[in-house]
Amino acid sequence: MNIKRLGHRYFDSESGVTLDCWFPRHNEKIGRSCLSQKHRFIQSDFVEIEIGNLSDTPTSTEEAYLRLHLLSECIVKPNEQNLEGIFSLLTNVAWTSAGPVLPSKVEELRGLVASEHHHLTVFGIDKFPRMVDYVVPPGVRIADADRVRLGAHLAPGTTVMHEGFVNFNAGSMGACMIEGRVTPGVVVGEKSDVGAGSSIMGTLSGGGKQVNAIGQRSLLGANAGIGISLGDDSIVEAGLYITAGTKVTLPDGNVVSARALSGKPGLLFRRNSQSGAVEALPTDPGRWGGINATLHNND
């Protein structure tokens, strides 16, 4: 896939360091302006970036931003392109209501914009900006924009509630409810529910390489977690965290490590309230029919 896009770049006036790059969805030459540019903390220009092969590693900050845009525009899916080294290409930026600046320049900027009756708000200090400031995907609801990074992949019909968090190179493959943490590399299948306070192990912390996913019509209960993939029509009860090494008792009495059940459909994971053992039982599809279609009509 060869991709060529026109972007608008902000860079630090003193050092020339690229702070961000916005690529309009329709590849138009559209500029931006902000108070930090007016006060000459940053400058802007237009750049044309071409990616010949998405399997190659990104080589510049501008290319890294384009790759994140492709994810949030749902042009490519998580794990379909090479993002190795992306952290080293991105600058730590203070994302403010007056525009992006280097963190060391926030206080000076605050004093200058005060003369224009502007109360400076710092939304975050991070390498990744909020997705909605660059890409607004169709048919999606996001209750708290601070909790979805640029590079998140959100399919139409997805709802991210206030406690939900979606990182870059992760997201949904269809209409679903996200109230927990969806970490890098993780995808959530259509009509699934990631319950409040739940967590899915990604590929960054501790250098893990296992790519986990949640299948279709599945439920990860509130405050639960998985270090394995959850297959279609499966459930993890609230509060239960299953790592790859968790010992799980099967209906026939055999005990296996949870990794042996990774991705298998139609399983209910629960903890026996009397013995404390983690069990895997067949699910009854009639008891969990997926998310409420009316609630997830986001047109």
Side-chain angles (χ1 to χ4, degrees):
M1 179 187 294
N2 184 273
I3 297 171
K4 182 184 290 187
R5 294 277 291 272
L6 186 65
H8 183 256
R9 175 177 61 170
Y10 280 140
F11 57 94
D12 180 65
S13 296
E14 184 177 1
S15 65
V17 170
T18 296
L19 301 177
D20 84 338
C21 196
W22 171 55
F23 294 89
R25 188 184 291 266
H26 300 296
N27 206 25
E28 299 172 309
K29 190 175 184 178
I30 304 174
R32 299 170 293 170
S33 63
C34 59
L35 287 173
S36 58
Q37 183 177 17
K38 177 182 177 181
H39 289 283
R40 301 182 180 180
F41 286 87
I42 65 175
Q43 298 178 48
S44 68
D45 61 7
F46 291 96
V47 294
E48 188 173 64
I49 302 299
E50 183 172 6
I51 302 175
N53 192 333
L54 289 173
S55 64
D56 294 337
T57 57
T59 59
S60 68
T61 304
E62 294 78 10
E63 183 184 341
Y65 265 88
L66 177 53
R67 288 176 182 253
L68 294 174
H69 277 70
L70 295 178
L71 281 161
S72 292
E73 293 173 5
C74 295
I75 292 174
V76 299
K77 297 177 182 178
N79 308 312
E80 284 190 343
Q81 61 176 325
N82 190 338
L83 297 177
E84 185 178 350
I86 193 170
F87 278 91
S88 64
L89 294 173
L90 299 177
T91 304
N92 203 32
V93 175
W95 306 101
T96 84
S97 54
V101 292
L102 294 177
S104 60
K105 299 184 178 181
V106 168
E107 289 306 305
E108 185 181 357
L109 175 63
R110 190 189 307 276
L112 289 173
V113 299
S115 64
E116 302 187 52
H117 304 284
H118 180 89
H119 180 85
L120 187 73
T121 299
V122 180
F123 301 111
I125 300 174
D126 195 11
K127 291 176 178 286
F128 293 81
R130 306 187 305 177
M131 181 187 74
V132 297
D133 293 332
Y134 297 79
V135 178
V136 178
V140 167
R141 289 162 54 200
I142 301 173
D144 186 346
D146 289 338
R147 299 183 66 83
V148 180
R149 273 175 155 180
L150 181 63
H153 180 290
L154 300 182
T158 300
T159 297
V160 184
M161 293 302 292
H162 296 80
E163 294 306 313
F165 173 78
V166 186
N167 215 324
F168 77 100
N169 197 37
S172 61
M173 298 296 102
C176 65
M177 169 68 84
I178 297 176
E179 299 179 272
R181 295 179 56 82
V182 182
T183 48
V186 172
V187 294
V188 180
E190 187 173 11
K191 297 183 180 178
S192 289
D193 189 328
V194 182
S198 63
S199 179
I200 309 163
M201 286 188 186
T203 56
L204 292 183
S205 297
K209 301 299 182 183
Q210 178 65 37
V211 178
N212 294 314
I214 291 181
Q216 298 182 12
R217 301 173 303 278
S218 293
L219 170 64
L220 183 59
N223 297 315
I226 51 174
I228 62 172
S229 290
L230 194 62
D232 295 345
D233 303 298
S234 294
I235 299 172
V236 177
E237 75 166 7
L240 176 62
Y241 207 114
I242 303 173
T243 65
T246 298
K247 300 305 180 183
V248 181
T249 302
L250 303 178
D252 61 6
N254 286 330
V255 177
V256 300
S257 294
R259 63 171 58 89
L261 304 175
S262 182
K264 293 187 179 298
L267 293 177
L268 164 63
F269 293 91
R270 72 178 189 185
R271 187 177 295 280
N272 188 299
S273 61
Q274 293 181 308
S275 68
V278 177
E279 301 173 335
L281 305 173
T283 53
D284 177 358
R287 298 183 64 183
W288 164 248
I291 60 175
N292 187 314
T294 302
L295 293 178
H296 295 273
N297 181 1
N298 293 341
D299 295 335

